Amino acid sequence: MKNHKLSSNVIQVIENQCIESSFFPNTLIYQNNQDRNVTLATDRDFIQPIPEQNWLFHVENVISFTWQTQGGKISYCFLEEATEEIFRFWLYHLVLPIYFSISNTYKFLHAGSVEINRKTVLFMAPSHGGKSTLTDYFIQHGHLLVTDDKMATFEKGGDFYAVPSHPYHRPYRQVEVLGHRCENAATEIRSIHAIYILEKDEPDSICTLRPLKGIEKFSRLHEGGEMNFSFFTKDYVQYLSRLANKVNVFNVKVPQDLDRLHEVYDIIVNHCESIKEEI
């Protein structure tokens, strides 16, 4: 397999020999991720990652990835059920977000994101809550895709920024499917203009939008956290608290009727233009 170079923070991804899992004595095991058993392991403890710490992300019967914290290189080894597309799925959708989380480069939110007139907005919801469907609707109406599912963010100078991810979109969550390539994808880092948290409602309900404040605002952001490893909990909670104090967050009641999706689209587009930059 060929080498892969990724421009964001210049991470080199190279094929290498498999390393025995016994080299990584501390493990976290996740069952039924994409119908696979998945292991995240390390040769140190999970409390506070250090630069020379080694990591293993192993997908049973498919692939193993290894790297060092902030090492700038990810190695991989194909197993018996691996294909190039499955490799790219695990790399783009899981391994890179884990790498950037552990290296403390970005904080991730479970969100879809698009640009509305060069302003980055995020759609958050529980799994199967409609964010992928709404993201796809915006893409179909000419908006740039920022991210499909995992939103990399960072804080600088008191402002919060969204980092465009890979240009693949999965409006339907088939197992281990990379998704279709979106040619209309964002490439510029922009500040987060607003976050819209979607809430399913009855098919005949009225589509409404209201601002979130205080503890409800923080709680809804926390529910949408991504890559919130137990060893990052304190830092991540503090980050979300600062995010909640800076960025506008709104609840959107979404009627469960695809024929009315244009109403949700219209209310968000019109509302986005009216938001003040500061809370």
Side-chain angles (χ1 to χ4, degrees), residues 109-110 124-126 195 197 210 212-226 228 236-237 239-245 249-251:
L109 298 174
H110 190 198
M124 297 179 67
I195 299 175
I197 297 182
R210 66 179 176 89
L212 297 179
K213 301 291 183 181
I215 189 64
E216 182 185 14
K217 183 180 184 182
F218 171 80
S219 296
R220 297 299 296 275
L221 287 175
H222 189 266
E223 289 171 2
E226 185 73 30
N228 185 17
Y236 192 77
V237 168
Y239 180 85
L240 289 181
S241 179
R242 296 192 300 274
L243 176 68
N245 287 330
V249 181
F250 304 90
N251 177 268

Side-chain angles (χ1 to χ4, degrees), residues 74-92:
I74 298 174
S75 299
Y76 66 91
C77 174
F78 276 42
L79 304 177
E80 57 266 29
E81 296 179 24
T83 66
E84 180 72 15
E85 181 169 339
I86 289 177
F87 156 71
R88 289 179 179 271
F89 167 83
W90 286 102
L91 175 65
Y92 295 163

Side-chain angles (χ1 to χ4, degrees), residues 74-279:
I74 298 174
S75 299
Y76 66 91
C77 174
F78 276 42
L79 304 177
E80 57 266 29
E81 296 179 24
T83 66
E84 180 72 15
E85 181 169 339
I86 289 177
F87 156 71
R88 289 179 179 271
F89 167 83
W90 286 102
L91 175 65
Y92 295 163
H93 289 285
L94 276 300
V95 173
L96 284 172
I98 291 173
Y99 173 91
F100 285 128
S101 294
I102 288 175
S103 66
N104 201 29
T105 305
Y106 301 128
K107 300 289 193 297
F108 283 81
L109 298 174
H110 190 198
S113 178
V114 298
E115 287 190 3
I116 300 176
N117 294 328
R118 297 176 63 85
K119 298 174 182 176
T120 296
V121 301
L122 278 58
F123 305 133
M124 297 179 67
S127 295
H128 309 293
K131 62 183 179 296
S132 295
T133 300
L134 187 61
T135 299
D136 185 62
Y137 192 90
F138 270 81
I139 294 170
Q140 298 304 319
H141 285 75
H143 296 268
L144 296 182
L145 170 69
V146 179
T147 192
D148 170 76
D149 185 59
K150 293 178 175 61
M151 182 76 262
T153 72
F154 67 93
E155 181 183 11
K156 183 178 181 180
D159 292 321
F160 291 82
Y161 295 87
V163 182
S165 69
H166 56 80
Y168 291 94
H169 179 46
R170 301 169 65 218
Y172 306 103
R173 297 300 191 199
Q174 298 99 327
V175 173
E176 289 185 316
V177 171
L178 178 61
H180 61 77
R181 185 176 179 87
C182 179
E183 300 302 332
N184 199 24
T187 58
E188 296 183 28
I189 295 173
R190 302 190 190 280
S191 61
I192 300 173
H193 184 65
I195 299 175
Y196 294 96
I197 297 182
L198 312 181
E199 181 179 343
K200 289 183 178 182
D201 210 345
E202 296 299 321
D204 58 352
S205 65
I206 298 174
C207 180
T208 60
L209 185 151
R210 66 179 176 89
L212 297 179
K213 301 291 183 181
I215 189 64
E216 182 185 14
K217 183 180 184 182
F218 171 80
S219 296
R220 297 299 296 275
L221 287 175
H222 189 266
E223 289 171 2
E226 185 73 30
M227 300 298 157
N228 185 17
F229 298 112
S230 59
F231 46 98
F232 291 150
T233 298
K234 181 179 179 181
D235 180 59
Y236 192 77
V237 168
Q238 292 174 344
Y239 180 85
L240 289 181
S241 179
R242 296 192 300 274
L243 176 68
N245 287 330
K246 182 66 177 181
V247 177
N248 293 283
V249 181
F250 304 90
N251 177 268
V252 184
K253 288 289 188 71
V254 180
Q256 292 305 287
D257 182 349
L258 291 178
D259 291 335
R260 298 184 61 195
L261 201 56
H262 66 92
E263 298 176 33
V264 184
Y265 172 85
D266 288 341
I267 197 173
I268 290 177
V269 169
N270 293 331
H271 179 264
C272 177
E273 294 301 313
S274 70
I275 300 172
K276 296 180 180 180
E277 291 294 337
E278 300 292 337
I279 296 178

